[in-house]
Amino acid sequence: MSLRTRIRPRGFQVFIALLIAAAVCVVVAGCGGSGGSSDSTESGGETTESTGAGSDSAGVARAKAAVAKYEKPPTSIGITKPLKTKPATGKTIDMVVCNLPVCKIFITTGEEAAEALGWHVKAIYTTGTPEDINAKISQAVSEKPDGILTSGWNRSVYEEALKEAEAAEVPIVTSGTTDKTEPPFIANTVGIPVFVRNGEILGNFIVADSNGKANVAAFNIAEYVHLRALAEAIESTIEKQCSECGAKVVEQQLTDIGTDLPSNVVSTLQADPSINYLAFTDGNFSSGVVAALREAGLSEKVKIVLEDPTEANFPEILAGNEYAGLAYSQPWVVWTGFDSFARYFEGEDAQNPPLAMPTQILTKSNLEAALEGATNTWSPPNMQQQFKELWHVE
Amino acid sequence: MNKPPDSVPVPSDGGELVSSEGDGVRPRFHLSLPPLNNVSLLMVWAAVILLFGITQPETFLTAQTAKAVASDQAITAIMALSLVMPLAAGVFDLSIGSVMGFSVVMVAWFQSTAGMSPAVAIVLTLLCGLLIGTVNALVVVRLGVDSFIATLGMSSILLAAIQWVSGGQQIVTGIPSGFTDLGREQIFGIAMPFWYMIVIAIVLWYLLGYRQTGRYLYATGSNPNAARLAGVRTDRLKAVSLMSSASIAALAGIIFTAKIGSASLEAGPPYLLPAFAAVFLGATQFRSRTFNVLGTLIAVYVLATGVKGLQLSGAPFWVEDLFNGVALIVAVALSVRASRKRA
């Protein structure tokens, strides 16, 4: 019996199936990617290779100067104009937030801000899918609150619910999106300029820390458009400050967090062993990465830096497993949101200055002092007091 | 009821459904080489290794890559193994993803919020999995609901339960190091989840291949009427298979949490498709047209090796889903086509 007849269709079909699958993937991957880098910017995904030799001393000096002020705690909350009068009490704000730990912080700090103003807060959690965001915003609108506070989703995700809010004249304060301040939005407290600035800070920090010898893989979750701006700012800053450095953006998907992302990070490092920095555009994205690097024996070969370190990241930073985090104060976002509502209700301009958000580079050496006893979030020093003074409430 | 014979009759379609070593005689414990056509996945695996070994020699052909693949796919392999028994019995369990997700949250909650020790948390979580499987079994066997629908419904219920228990919040702190050590310690440089998977695989392989329960399961899956007429307790076997799949999925969730050190609310469902892809792909191997342990494991690692090679080649993040989906559809479609031609 010949070999051909012994290989029955059943076995041969598996062979064909996997070859087809592999061929499809190779073709599609080849069409979708370029030069070995994964999905990056529409402009072409600039990927520069680090030669690992020499340093751009002028760029390093510029980078060090640029990050110097962020290595110390900020002194101002970035908003300095007081309200003309003390705001009216008795308002109700619905907060539509995500189901990550960071959003629990949103609610608890929202309740603190509301208490200072004599207002009430209702929390509505969403899974983050477009359908659920629409449903929850719509639910909030139907409750006819004085305002809705939300964060992180571009209006295109929940346009239907926004129409309902506009029709019902319910003002919305958002943050962390690319949205312009158009009805029903009365303010976007953290717009794209902040994320670009934060990306520049991280990029400069990496250049300064590496003394101009960095090769960075910046991991972002594709669903978060505003964080893509941050990732691109990291990439462009590094390329601008350091001609010998390399940087690329590696896109992942939301369901990869804690599941495939850690192994994808390892694969990225294996594919390019010259990478010596990993940047995550949000602290939540690094879930499981430290463990994966440890398993792969790569812990000592890279430094992890991230934006918006969370309570899960703080122990890792203190232990030296994660190198640095750029603080993104969720409490500041919330208090600024309430500040916007207070100004709106009193007939004043609700939109805060675009780069008002204070920040600080948190490392093992300064983290405990920076947290001031808190375990789950960072706030600018004396933040609540400064807001209360602006609101004429004590 | 007559006591069922020690060997169950082979169905008339001629499929190789039982290890027929002679009526009434328990098969001897021995290994025999399967026909060449039933080991095509091994050939494919070799071809994939060869392909990426040539294109990515410095990064692909390393011990680090092998260990990473072995370790990274352990959870997927465990989830795929959880499906072997129910599929062998002819029932679907679409709830395993949510069972895993639920157990991730529960084992973390028991420790971080309820303050229980790791041992107690693990036992309680496994019991939760067993309970879920029992409910699935009752709905399918007693109420007569199709397993596809019943377990799909259970999956949705568990997604709600995950949100309810966790309060919509991931659990990132309060998990003791004694628990995470269970998922992070290494033997021969490979993390513990891989070794747990090996143990589970050995137990299932022995049960399905060398015990009467295994023969009866396959008989139930291939021809439930004939099996029932032969005295096999098909309902009981279906129930046991659903309870086992949920328990193993719960175990996968426990191992996942120990490895990661936190409880994500989206942990389980992403493993559903890869698990089914592996089991169906593995069903074409070794034991022809039956769901089997060895074929499943080989399928998991063949797919994983292919994906790893593509990742090292710079493929984007969605290549894994694409690869699994295409491989599953094409393999099963060709299998169905071949079956129709033979019929």
Side-chain angles (χ1 to χ4, degrees):
Chain A
M1 188 181 300
S2 70
L3 181 64
R4 182 161 181 249
T5 56
R6 280 184 65 86
I7 300 177
R8 294 188 221 156
R10 184 170 50 247
F12 191 60
Q13 74 207 12
V14 173
F15 185 86
I16 294 297
L18 283 164
L19 281 185
I20 292 172
V24 168
C25 292
V26 169
V27 169
V28 175
C31 292
S34 63
S37 73
S38 54
D39 278 345
S40 186
T41 63
E42 282 78 16
S43 61
E46 298 285 303
T47 302
T48 58
E49 294 293 330
S50 172
T51 62
S55 64
D56 187 337
S57 56
V60 172
R62 287 195 302 270
K64 287 181 178 176
V67 299
K69 71 171 182 176
Y70 298 107
E71 291 169 342
K72 301 179 187 130
T75 55
S76 168
I77 58 173
I79 300 169
T80 55
K81 184 179 177 184
L83 269 72
K84 292 175 184 172
T85 59
K86 181 179 173 181
T89 59
K91 304 292 185 183
T92 298
I93 304 295
D94 279 12
M95 298 182 66
V96 181
V97 298
C98 68
N99 62 0
L100 295 174
V102 64
C103 293
K104 190 173 181 182
I105 299 170
F106 257 65
I107 301 303
T108 53
T109 52
E111 290 169 346
E112 291 170 351
E115 184 181 1
L117 288 163
W119 295 0
H120 308 284
V121 159
K122 179 181 175 183
I124 300 175
Y125 292 99
T126 168
T127 59
T129 64
E131 297 80 13
D132 200 55
I133 295 169
N134 261 294
K136 296 298 167 57
I137 297 285
S138 183
Q139 173 192 332
V141 172
S142 68
E143 294 172 355
K144 293 186 171 51
D146 294 289
I148 295 173
L149 183 63
T150 186
S151 173
W153 305 297
N154 272 23
R155 66 179 299 154
S156 58
V157 173
Y158 56 112
E159 194 64 54
E160 284 302 313
L162 287 177
K163 291 176 186 171
E164 296 174 18
E166 190 172 356
E169 296 183 343
V170 176
I172 298 180
V173 170
T174 187
S175 68
T177 74
T178 59
D179 294 326
K180 296 178 185 173
T181 306
E182 296 171 339
F185 295 127
I186 60 170
N188 183 353
T189 59
V190 182
I192 287 299
V194 171
F195 294 101
V196 173
R197 180 204 67 179
N198 286 359
E200 290 170 350
I201 295 173
L202 279 176
N204 281 318
F205 174 79
I206 292 171
V207 170
D209 184 75
S210 67
N211 207 28
K213 296 178 183 177
N215 190 5
V216 182
F219 286 83
N220 184 46
I221 300 299
E223 285 87 338
Y224 295 115
V225 177
H226 58 292
L227 294 180
R228 186 182 183 91
L230 189 152
E232 291 174 357
I234 293 174
E235 189 182 34
S236 61
T237 300
I238 289 174
E239 290 170 359
K240 185 176 76 176
Q241 302 286 46
C242 175
S243 59
E244 297 294 327
C245 296
K248 66 177 180 181
V249 178
V250 183
E251 296 281 13
Q252 303 288 288
Q253 53 191 349
L254 193 57
T255 52
D256 289 340
I257 298 175
T259 56
D260 290 333
L261 198 150
S263 62
N264 293 345
V265 169
V266 171
S267 294
T268 301
L269 291 174
Q270 288 177 309
D272 185 356
S274 68
I275 293 173
N276 53 5
Y277 284 84
L278 296 173
F280 293 91
T281 56
D282 188 280
N284 289 293
F285 303 165
S286 68
S287 175
V289 170
V290 169
L293 291 176
R294 188 184 303 120
E295 280 179 19
L298 295 171
S299 298
E300 303 301 319
K301 298 192 177 178
V302 289
K303 292 180 178 177
I304 297 175
V305 297
L306 35 87
E307 199 249 12
D308 189 13
T310 69
E311 61 180 325
N313 303 112
F314 293 146
E316 300 288 8
I317 293 176
L318 288 173
N321 299 323
E322 291 178 346
Y323 188 62
L326 184 66
Y328 182 101
S329 177
Q330 303 294 349
W332 182 93
V333 172
V334 174
W335 280 73
T336 303
F338 277 79
D339 179 81
S340 293
F341 278 121
R343 293 175 193 273
Y344 174 79
F345 296 141
E346 300 306 314
E348 300 183 34
D349 182 8
Q351 179 62 58
N352 56 290
L355 290 177
M357 186 180 201
T359 186
Q360 183 183 355
I361 297 171
L362 303 174
T363 61
K364 184 177 179 178
S365 61
N366 68 9
L367 180 59
E368 281 185 340
L371 291 178
E372 296 182 310
T375 59
N376 58 1
T377 188
W378 174 89
S379 295
N382 211 26
M383 178 191 72
Q384 294 192 10
Q385 183 60 33
Q386 292 187 53
F387 273 112
K388 288 178 181 176
E389 289 174 1
L390 295 176
W391 299 342
H392 311 293
V393 299
E394 281 294 352
Chain B
M1 180 182 293
N2 294 329
K3 181 184 173 186
D6 289 336
S7 74
V8 178
V10 176
S12 58
D13 63 2
E16 300 169 16
L17 297 171
V18 294
S19 306
S20 51
E21 294 283 331
D23 288 348
V25 176
R26 181 174 295 176
R28 291 190 298 275
F29 190 86
H30 72 277
L31 294 175
S32 58
L33 293 177
L36 184 64
N37 55 296
N38 279 5
V39 294
S40 56
L41 263 186
L42 289 177
M43 294 190 287
V44 170
W45 201 359
V48 169
I49 293 172
L50 184 65
L51 171 67
F52 290 113
I54 292 172
T55 57
Q56 304 286 330
E58 293 180 359
T59 56
F60 185 77
L61 287 180
T62 64
Q64 187 183 56
T65 296
K67 288 178 183 177
V69 171
S71 177
D72 290 346
Q73 297 305 311
I75 303 293
T76 303
I78 293 172
M79 291 293 280
L81 289 172
S82 77
L83 288 172
V84 175
M85 279 185 68
L87 288 173
V91 292
F92 280 85
D93 189 350
L94 296 178
S95 68
I96 57 163
S98 296
V99 173
M100 176 185 160
F102 183 70
S103 74
V104 164
V105 171
M106 288 308 300
V107 74
W109 186 88
F110 282 137
Q111 295 174 88
S112 71
T113 305
M116 296 179 183
S117 68
V120 173
I122 290 170
V123 169
L124 288 178
T125 304
L126 286 174
L127 287 175
C128 287
L130 184 62
L131 178 62
I132 293 167
T134 304
V135 173
N136 282 339
L138 286 172
V139 173
V140 171
V141 174
R142 289 287 183 201
L143 300 183
V145 178
D146 185 89
S147 61
F148 196 96
I149 302 298
T151 56
L152 192 61
M154 175 58 75
S155 180
S156 184
I157 292 170
L158 289 174
L159 290 178
I162 288 170
Q163 295 294 323
W164 175 56
V165 171
S166 66
Q169 306 299 316
Q170 290 187 358
I171 302 172
V172 296
T173 57
I175 298 176
S177 58
F179 177 76
T180 55
D181 286 346
L182 296 174
R184 295 177 179 178
E185 290 295 326
Q186 296 185 354
I187 299 177
F188 302 127
I190 304 176
M192 288 305 296
F194 174 80
W195 302 109
Y196 300 141
M197 181 270 293
I198 293 293
V199 171
I200 295 169
I202 290 172
V203 169
L204 283 177
W205 169 76
Y206 178 70
L207 179 69
L208 291 172
Y210 295 93
R211 303 296 298 177
Q212 189 178 69
T213 302
R215 295 200 300 278
Y216 288 173
L217 268 171
Y218 284 120
T220 301
S222 68
N223 194 329
N225 290 330
R228 189 164 47 247
L229 289 172
V232 175
R233 292 183 171 180
T234 55
D235 284 351
R236 176 175 290 189
L237 287 168
K238 288 178 183 177
V240 167
S241 70
L242 286 169
M243 292 162 68
S244 78
S245 62
S247 299
I248 296 174
L251 183 58
I254 293 168
I255 296 169
F256 177 90
T257 308
K259 178 181 176 182
I260 300 297
S262 62
S264 162
L265 302 190
E266 290 87 24
Y271 288 95
L272 185 66
L273 175 61
F276 269 95
V279 173
F280 275 93
L281 203 53
T284 64
Q285 303 295 293
F286 302 108
R287 296 191 64 172
S288 308
R289 291 193 298 123
T290 60
F291 301 99
N292 63 93
V293 171
L294 193 55
T296 298
L297 287 184
I298 297 295
V300 167
Y301 282 100
V302 168
L303 292 173
T305 304
V307 169
K308 187 68 170 181
L310 289 168
Q311 286 176 341
L312 291 176
S313 303
F317 65 84
W318 37 263
V319 72
E320 181 170 355
D321 290 337
L322 176 66
F323 193 79
N324 287 336
V326 171
L328 175 63
I329 290 173
V330 177
V332 175
L334 289 175
S335 176
V336 168
R337 189 177 178 204
S339 298
R340 285 177 183 165
K341 281 185 177 178
R342 276 192 294 277

Short mmCIF file of all heavy atoms in Angstrom, two decimals, chain B residues 218-261:
data_model
loop_
_atom_site.label_atom_id
_atom_site.label_comp_id
_atom_site.label_asym_id
_atom_site.label_seq_id
_atom_site.Cartn_x
_atom_site.Cartn_y
_atom_site.Cartn_z
N TYR B 218 -17.64 6.80 25.79
CA TYR B 218 -17.55 6.85 24.33
C TYR B 218 -18.77 6.18 23.69
O TYR B 218 -19.28 6.64 22.67
CB TYR B 218 -16.26 6.18 23.86
CG TYR B 218 -15.03 7.03 24.06
CD1 TYR B 218 -13.98 6.60 24.86
CD2 TYR B 218 -14.92 8.27 23.45
CE1 TYR B 218 -12.85 7.38 25.05
CE2 TYR B 218 -13.80 9.07 23.63
CZ TYR B 218 -12.77 8.60 24.44
OH TYR B 218 -11.65 9.39 24.62
N ALA B 219 -19.20 5.11 24.30
CA ALA B 219 -20.39 4.44 23.76
C ALA B 219 -21.60 5.35 23.86
O ALA B 219 -22.42 5.44 22.94
CB ALA B 219 -20.64 3.15 24.54
N THR B 220 -21.71 6.05 24.97
CA THR B 220 -22.82 6.98 25.15
C THR B 220 -22.77 8.08 24.11
O THR B 220 -23.80 8.48 23.55
CB THR B 220 -22.76 7.60 26.56
OG1 THR B 220 -22.83 6.56 27.53
CG2 THR B 220 -23.91 8.58 26.78
N GLY B 221 -21.58 8.56 23.84
CA GLY B 221 -21.45 9.64 22.88
C GLY B 221 -21.67 9.21 21.45
O GLY B 221 -22.21 9.96 20.64
N SER B 222 -21.28 7.98 21.14
CA SER B 222 -21.38 7.56 19.74
C SER B 222 -22.77 7.08 19.39
O SER B 222 -23.27 7.33 18.29
CB SER B 222 -20.36 6.46 19.46
OG SER B 222 -20.71 5.29 20.17
N ASN B 223 -23.40 6.38 20.29
CA ASN B 223 -24.73 5.86 20.00
C ASN B 223 -25.46 5.66 21.32
O ASN B 223 -25.46 4.56 21.89
CB ASN B 223 -24.64 4.54 19.23
CG ASN B 223 -25.97 4.15 18.62
OD1 ASN B 223 -27.05 4.45 19.15
ND2 ASN B 223 -25.90 3.45 17.50
N PRO B 224 -26.07 6.73 21.83
CA PRO B 224 -26.67 6.64 23.16
C PRO B 224 -27.78 5.60 23.26
O PRO B 224 -27.93 4.94 24.30
CB PRO B 224 -27.22 8.06 23.40
CG PRO B 224 -27.23 8.73 22.08
CD PRO B 224 -26.20 8.07 21.25
N ASN B 225 -28.54 5.42 22.19
CA ASN B 225 -29.63 4.43 22.25
C ASN B 225 -29.07 3.02 22.38
O ASN B 225 -29.55 2.23 23.21
CB ASN B 225 -30.51 4.55 21.01
CG ASN B 225 -31.32 5.84 21.03
OD1 ASN B 225 -31.65 6.34 22.11
ND2 ASN B 225 -31.62 6.37 19.86
N ALA B 226 -28.08 2.72 21.57
CA ALA B 226 -27.48 1.39 21.64
C ALA B 226 -26.83 1.16 22.99
O ALA B 226 -26.94 0.08 23.59
CB ALA B 226 -26.45 1.23 20.51
N ALA B 227 -26.17 2.20 23.48
CA ALA B 227 -25.51 2.07 24.76
C ALA B 227 -26.54 1.84 25.87
O ALA B 227 -26.35 0.99 26.76
CB ALA B 227 -24.70 3.33 25.06
N ARG B 228 -27.62 2.57 25.79
CA ARG B 228 -28.65 2.42 26.83
C ARG B 228 -29.26 1.04 26.78
O ARG B 228 -29.51 0.40 27.80
CB ARG B 228 -29.71 3.51 26.67
CG ARG B 228 -30.70 3.58 27.82
CD ARG B 228 -31.49 4.88 27.83
NE ARG B 228 -32.02 5.21 26.52
CZ ARG B 228 -31.62 6.25 25.81
NH1 ARG B 228 -30.69 7.05 26.26
NH2 ARG B 228 -32.15 6.48 24.62
N LEU B 229 -29.51 0.56 25.56
CA LEU B 229 -30.07 -0.77 25.42
C LEU B 229 -29.11 -1.84 25.90
O LEU B 229 -29.53 -2.92 26.34
CB LEU B 229 -30.45 -1.02 23.96
CG LEU B 229 -31.67 -0.22 23.44
CD1 LEU B 229 -31.83 -0.41 21.94
CD2 LEU B 229 -32.94 -0.64 24.18
N ALA B 230 -27.82 -1.52 25.82
CA ALA B 230 -26.81 -2.48 26.30
C ALA B 230 -26.63 -2.42 27.79
O ALA B 230 -25.83 -3.16 28.36
CB ALA B 230 -25.48 -2.18 25.60
N GLY B 231 -27.38 -1.50 28.44
CA GLY B 231 -27.33 -1.43 29.89
C GLY B 231 -26.44 -0.35 30.45
O GLY B 231 -26.24 -0.27 31.66
N VAL B 232 -25.93 0.49 29.58
CA VAL B 232 -25.08 1.58 30.05
C VAL B 232 -25.96 2.69 30.62
O VAL B 232 -26.96 3.07 30.02
CB VAL B 232 -24.21 2.14 28.90
CG1 VAL B 232 -23.42 3.35 29.37
CG2 VAL B 232 -23.28 1.06 28.36
N ARG B 233 -25.58 3.22 31.75
CA ARG B 233 -26.35 4.30 32.37
C ARG B 233 -25.94 5.63 31.72
O ARG B 233 -25.11 6.37 32.25
CB ARG B 233 -26.10 4.35 33.86
CG ARG B 233 -26.67 3.14 34.58
CD ARG B 233 -26.45 3.26 36.08
NE ARG B 233 -27.18 2.22 36.80
CZ ARG B 233 -27.18 2.09 38.11
NH1 ARG B 233 -26.47 2.91 38.85
NH2 ARG B 233 -27.88 1.15 38.70
N THR B 234 -26.53 5.89 30.59
CA THR B 234 -26.10 7.03 29.80
C THR B 234 -26.38 8.36 30.51
O THR B 234 -25.56 9.28 30.46
CB THR B 234 -26.80 7.03 28.44
OG1 THR B 234 -28.22 6.98 28.64
CG2 THR B 234 -26.37 5.83 27.60
N ASP B 235 -27.51 8.47 31.16
CA ASP B 235 -27.82 9.72 31.86
C ASP B 235 -26.81 9.99 32.96
O ASP B 235 -26.35 11.13 33.14
CB ASP B 235 -29.24 9.67 32.44
CG ASP B 235 -30.31 9.85 31.39
OD1 ASP B 235 -29.95 10.19 30.23
OD2 ASP B 235 -31.50 9.66 31.71
N ARG B 236 -26.48 8.96 33.69
CA ARG B 236 -25.51 9.15 34.78
C ARG B 236 -24.16 9.57 34.21
O ARG B 236 -23.49 10.44 34.76
CB ARG B 236 -25.37 7.87 35.58
CG ARG B 236 -24.30 7.96 36.66
CD ARG B 236 -24.26 6.72 37.52
NE ARG B 236 -25.44 6.60 38.37
CZ ARG B 236 -25.58 5.71 39.34
NH1 ARG B 236 -24.61 4.84 39.57
NH2 ARG B 236 -26.67 5.67 40.07
N LEU B 237 -23.76 8.97 33.11
CA LEU B 237 -22.48 9.32 32.51
C LEU B 237 -22.46 10.75 32.00
O LEU B 237 -21.47 11.47 32.14
CB LEU B 237 -22.14 8.33 31.39
CG LEU B 237 -21.75 6.95 31.87
CD1 LEU B 237 -21.72 5.97 30.71
CD2 LEU B 237 -20.39 6.98 32.56
N LYS B 238 -23.57 11.15 31.41
CA LYS B 238 -23.63 12.54 30.95
C LYS B 238 -23.53 13.49 32.14
O LYS B 238 -22.84 14.52 32.08
CB LYS B 238 -24.94 12.79 30.20
CG LYS B 238 -25.01 12.15 28.83
CD LYS B 238 -26.37 12.42 28.18
CE LYS B 238 -26.47 11.71 26.84
NZ LYS B 238 -27.81 11.89 26.21
N ALA B 239 -24.22 13.14 33.21
CA ALA B 239 -24.17 13.99 34.40
C ALA B 239 -22.76 14.07 34.96
O ALA B 239 -22.25 15.15 35.28
CB ALA B 239 -25.14 13.45 35.45
N VAL B 240 -22.13 12.91 35.06
CA VAL B 240 -20.76 12.89 35.59
C VAL B 240 -19.82 13.69 34.70
O VAL B 240 -18.95 14.41 35.18
CB VAL B 240 -20.27 11.43 35.72
CG1 VAL B 240 -18.77 11.37 35.96
CG2 VAL B 240 -21.01 10.73 36.85
N SER B 241 -20.02 13.60 33.41
CA SER B 241 -19.13 14.32 32.49
C SER B 241 -19.29 15.83 32.65
O SER B 241 -18.31 16.57 32.61
CB SER B 241 -19.39 13.90 31.05
OG SER B 241 -20.64 14.37 30.60
N LEU B 242 -20.52 16.29 32.86
CA LEU B 242 -20.73 17.72 33.03
C LEU B 242 -20.18 18.19 34.38
O LEU B 242 -19.66 19.30 34.50
CB LEU B 242 -22.23 18.05 32.92
CG LEU B 242 -22.80 17.99 31.50
CD1 LEU B 242 -24.32 18.06 31.53
CD2 LEU B 242 -22.23 19.10 30.64
N MET B 243 -20.30 17.36 35.38
CA MET B 243 -19.75 17.73 36.68
C MET B 243 -18.22 17.78 36.61
O MET B 243 -17.58 18.65 37.20
CB MET B 243 -20.21 16.73 37.74
CG MET B 243 -21.71 16.82 38.03
SD MET B 243 -22.38 15.37 38.86
CE MET B 243 -21.60 15.52 40.46
N SER B 244 -17.65 16.87 35.87
CA SER B 244 -16.18 16.86 35.77
C SER B 244 -15.68 18.05 34.99
O SER B 244 -14.66 18.66 35.34
CB SER B 244 -15.70 15.56 35.13
OG SER B 244 -15.87 15.60 33.73
N SER B 245 -16.38 18.42 33.91
CA SER B 245 -15.91 19.55 33.10
C SER B 245 -15.94 20.83 33.91
O SER B 245 -15.01 21.65 33.85
CB SER B 245 -16.75 19.69 31.83
OG SER B 245 -18.10 19.96 32.13
N ALA B 246 -16.99 21.03 34.68
CA ALA B 246 -17.08 22.23 35.49
C ALA B 246 -16.02 22.23 36.59
O ALA B 246 -15.43 23.27 36.91
CB ALA B 246 -18.47 22.35 36.11
N SER B 247 -15.77 21.07 37.17
CA SER B 247 -14.76 20.99 38.23
C SER B 247 -13.37 21.29 37.69
O SER B 247 -12.57 22.01 38.31
CB SER B 247 -14.78 19.61 38.87
OG SER B 247 -16.05 19.35 39.45
N ILE B 248 -13.07 20.74 36.52
CA ILE B 248 -11.75 20.99 35.93
C ILE B 248 -11.62 22.45 35.52
O ILE B 248 -10.57 23.07 35.68
CB ILE B 248 -11.50 20.04 34.75
CG1 ILE B 248 -11.47 18.59 35.22
CG2 ILE B 248 -10.19 20.40 34.04
CD1 ILE B 248 -11.39 17.57 34.10
N ALA B 249 -12.70 23.03 35.01
CA ALA B 249 -12.66 24.45 34.65
C ALA B 249 -12.46 25.32 35.89
O ALA B 249 -11.75 26.33 35.85
CB ALA B 249 -13.95 24.85 33.94
N ALA B 250 -13.08 24.92 36.99
CA ALA B 250 -12.87 25.65 38.24
C ALA B 250 -11.41 25.55 38.67
O ALA B 250 -10.81 26.52 39.14
CB ALA B 250 -13.79 25.10 39.33
N LEU B 251 -10.85 24.36 38.51
CA LEU B 251 -9.43 24.18 38.84
C LEU B 251 -8.56 25.06 37.96
O LEU B 251 -7.59 25.66 38.43
CB LEU B 251 -9.06 22.71 38.66
CG LEU B 251 -7.63 22.31 39.02
CD1 LEU B 251 -7.30 22.65 40.46
CD2 LEU B 251 -7.41 20.81 38.77
N ALA B 252 -8.92 25.17 36.71
CA ALA B 252 -8.17 26.06 35.81
C ALA B 252 -8.21 27.50 36.31
O ALA B 252 -7.23 28.23 36.26
CB ALA B 252 -8.74 25.98 34.39
N GLY B 253 -9.36 27.92 36.80
CA GLY B 253 -9.48 29.27 37.34
C GLY B 253 -8.63 29.48 38.57
O GLY B 253 -8.01 30.54 38.75
N ILE B 254 -8.57 28.47 39.42
CA ILE B 254 -7.73 28.57 40.62
C ILE B 254 -6.26 28.69 40.23
O ILE B 254 -5.52 29.54 40.76
CB ILE B 254 -7.94 27.32 41.51
CG1 ILE B 254 -9.36 27.30 42.07
CG2 ILE B 254 -6.93 27.27 42.64
CD1 ILE B 254 -9.76 25.99 42.70
N ILE B 255 -5.84 27.87 39.30
CA ILE B 255 -4.45 27.89 38.86
C ILE B 255 -4.13 29.23 38.20
O ILE B 255 -3.05 29.81 38.40
CB ILE B 255 -4.18 26.72 37.90
CG1 ILE B 255 -4.35 25.39 38.62
CG2 ILE B 255 -2.78 26.82 37.30
CD1 ILE B 255 -4.37 24.18 37.71
N PHE B 256 -5.08 29.74 37.41
CA PHE B 256 -4.88 31.03 36.74
C PHE B 256 -4.67 32.14 37.76
O PHE B 256 -3.77 32.97 37.64
CB PHE B 256 -6.11 31.32 35.86
CG PHE B 256 -6.06 32.66 35.19
CD1 PHE B 256 -5.50 32.81 33.93
CD2 PHE B 256 -6.61 33.78 35.80
CE1 PHE B 256 -5.47 34.04 33.30
CE2 PHE B 256 -6.58 35.02 35.17
CZ PHE B 256 -6.01 35.14 33.92
N THR B 257 -5.51 32.16 38.79
CA THR B 257 -5.40 33.20 39.81
C THR B 257 -4.08 33.10 40.56
O THR B 257 -3.45 34.11 40.88
CB THR B 257 -6.57 33.10 40.80
OG1 THR B 257 -7.80 33.07 40.06
CG2 THR B 257 -6.60 34.29 41.75
N ALA B 258 -3.67 31.87 40.85
CA ALA B 258 -2.39 31.68 41.53
C ALA B 258 -1.24 32.18 40.66
O ALA B 258 -0.26 32.74 41.14
CB ALA B 258 -2.20 30.20 41.86
N LYS B 259 -1.36 32.00 39.37
CA LYS B 259 -0.29 32.41 38.46
C LYS B 259 -0.23 33.93 38.33
O LYS B 259 0.84 34.53 38.39
CB LYS B 259 -0.52 31.78 37.09
CG LYS B 259 0.48 32.17 36.03
CD LYS B 259 0.15 31.51 34.71
CE LYS B 259 1.11 31.99 33.64
NZ LYS B 259 0.81 31.42 32.31
N ILE B 260 -1.39 34.54 38.16
CA ILE B 260 -1.43 35.99 37.91
C ILE B 260 -1.33 36.78 39.20
O ILE B 260 -0.74 37.86 39.25
CB ILE B 260 -2.72 36.37 37.16
CG1 ILE B 260 -2.80 35.64 35.83
CG2 ILE B 260 -2.80 37.87 36.95
CD1 ILE B 260 -1.69 36.01 34.86
N GLY B 261 -1.96 36.26 40.26
CA GLY B 261 -1.90 36.96 41.54
C GLY B 261 -3.02 37.97 41.73
O GLY B 261 -3.02 38.74 42.69
#
